[in-house]
Amino acid sequence: MIIYIRKKFDSNKSILEFYWKNFKKIVIPFFFATMIIAFRYYLSSNFGLSLMGYFRFYRDYITNTAPNSDLWFMYPFFGLLLSTPFLSLMLNNMSEKQIKFILVLSFIYCFYSVNSKFFGFTPHISQWIISEWMLYYILGYCLDRVNIQCEGIIYVLGVVGFILSIILKTKFENSYNNSTDLSLIYVIFVFSIYIFFAKRIHTNNKALIGIIEILTKYSFYVYLFHEIVLREVEKYLGVLNPIISFPVNILVTLLLTLMIAVIFDSFMQILNKFFNTLFIFLKNILFNE
């Protein structure tokens, strides 16, 4: 996401190219992947085996089921992608002090919007531009723009944030909504992890670098397919001892999903050749090239 926001958008054409690139890279694979996932669930449904039955099932899945599954994050992510060119234009033209200022305001708003409900009153202030998932979306970019000092204090706050998040999740789950994700306490925990990895974790091990590059390349497709693979894996490995099954499920799911991701990527590369030709044709019409 940092790369997206760093990008310079100096014309309407560059914005259109950004949208098209991510339409091919993210939106189209998302719909093809969900068609495959929905078909697997359709086979065990009561819709009846027919083409129209599948399309009705897929319509319901993409509009109802998917937002409540592990794919829910894709829907706000589409909105973030649409916002990216304009976020980039705003943030890249801000000074370091202005970046710090907007981060402080965002942290204050984050604390207010979540914790006010915990203390018993409704937050009427709304529509702050950098809130909820938007804060996570720009956080890496903003931290790269800011000169980080007092790392030790940040790490201590991160540990405290992690402990408090567990307490709020386990002891106050019914009264404290968003004890993770949107809570400022959890944001600080994530903030500290990012700083630690960015500043302290470096490696020259070629094997490890190769593994990271592979996982990075296919991470999006792994995310798309991991839920349905995990459900299938749990059917066979769920009988194991919970202490053993948890890490085994993760490892097996990762390996199987990675294999699916490689195959799916090959399919998308073939499909993208068609979309590239279509894009060139449309660009020639729109820009009279």
Side-chain angles (χ1 to χ4, degrees):
M1 302 308 102
I2 296 175
I3 297 175
Y4 285 172
I5 300 177
R6 280 178 180 166
K7 182 176 174 59
K8 303 295 183 181
F9 294 93
D10 52 9
S11 66
N12 290 339
K13 182 178 177 181
S14 65
I15 295 175
L16 181 63
E17 288 176 341
F18 171 81
Y19 284 153
W20 177 250
K21 178 180 179 181
N22 285 283
F23 182 75
K24 293 188 302 176
K25 185 179 179 181
I26 294 174
V27 180
I28 293 176
F30 170 76
F31 282 105
F32 274 96
T34 51
M35 288 177 70
I36 296 171
I37 295 168
F39 182 74
R40 170 62 186 86
Y41 292 141
Y42 171 69
L43 292 177
S44 58
S45 72
N46 296 319
F47 274 69
L49 295 178
S50 69
L51 185 61
M52 290 306 298
Y54 166 70
F55 282 123
R56 287 195 299 269
F57 183 88
Y58 179 70
R59 177 200 62 195
D60 292 342
Y61 175 77
I62 204 70
T63 56
N64 298 318
T65 307
N68 296 317
S69 73
D70 283 352
L71 296 178
W72 69 267
F73 184 72
M74 290 304 303
Y75 294 85
F77 183 52
F78 291 149
L80 293 173
L81 282 178
L82 287 173
S83 306
T84 295
F86 311 102
L87 283 171
S88 173
L89 288 168
M90 178 183 77
L91 294 172
N92 282 305
N93 285 286
M94 293 173 65
S95 66
E96 181 181 340
K97 288 184 178 180
Q98 290 170 330
I99 293 290
K100 290 180 179 178
F101 193 27
I102 199 171
L103 277 180
V104 170
L105 287 177
S106 297
F107 288 159
I108 293 173
Y109 181 83
C110 179
F111 178 82
Y112 162 78
S113 62
V114 173
N115 290 277
S116 55
K117 299 174 184 177
F118 182 65
F119 291 116
F121 62 92
T122 302
H124 294 292
I125 300 174
S126 62
Q127 307 306 315
W128 168 243
I129 187 173
I130 308 298
S131 62
E132 298 185 351
W133 302 114
M134 185 68 76
L135 177 57
Y136 281 103
Y137 192 67
I138 72 163
L139 191 58
Y141 169 85
C142 290
L143 294 179
D144 278 2
R145 286 282 310 275
V146 172
N147 182 24
I148 301 296
Q149 298 176 343
C150 304
E151 283 185 47
I153 295 176
I154 293 174
Y155 298 148
V156 171
L157 290 175
V159 173
V160 172
F162 175 69
I163 294 172
L164 288 177
S165 295
I166 293 176
I167 293 173
L168 290 170
K169 183 68 175 178
T170 55
K171 301 296 184 181
F172 301 95
E173 185 174 11
N174 294 328
S175 59
Y176 191 88
N177 297 322
N178 298 316
S179 57
T180 57
D181 297 345
L182 303 183
S183 168
L184 178 61
I185 296 170
Y186 195 78
V187 172
I188 292 174
F189 165 58
V190 174
F191 176 104
S192 66
I193 290 178
Y194 177 85
I195 296 298
F196 178 75
F197 276 91
K199 300 290 185 181
R200 299 296 175 184
I201 302 300
H202 304 281
T203 181
N204 294 320
N205 187 295
K206 292 183 179 180
L208 181 59
I209 292 173
I211 293 173
I212 293 173
E213 289 177 345
I214 292 173
L215 292 175
T216 300
K217 179 180 179 180
Y218 297 108
S219 60
F220 177 54
Y221 296 157
V222 168
Y223 169 72
L224 290 179
F225 288 104
H226 82 279
E227 180 184 16
I228 190 171
V229 174
L230 177 60
R231 291 188 182 187
E232 296 297 326
V233 169
E234 287 180 337
K235 291 180 182 179
Y236 299 97
L237 300 181
V239 296
L240 299 176
N241 182 286
I243 297 176
I244 299 175
S245 66
F246 181 73
V248 171
N249 284 351
I250 291 175
L251 180 60
V252 173
T253 299
L254 175 60
L255 293 176
L256 291 176
T257 311
L258 189 59
M259 292 172 58
I260 295 173
V262 172
I263 297 171
F264 187 72
D265 179 65
S266 300
F267 167 72
M268 291 309 305
Q269 287 183 26
I270 296 172
L271 194 63
N272 279 335
K273 292 180 180 179
F274 164 76
F275 286 111
N276 284 334
T277 303
L278 178 63
F279 175 67
I280 293 172
F281 173 74
L282 294 175
K283 187 171 69 170
N284 289 340
I285 294 176
L286 291 173
F287 297 101
N288 297 317
E289 294 182 354

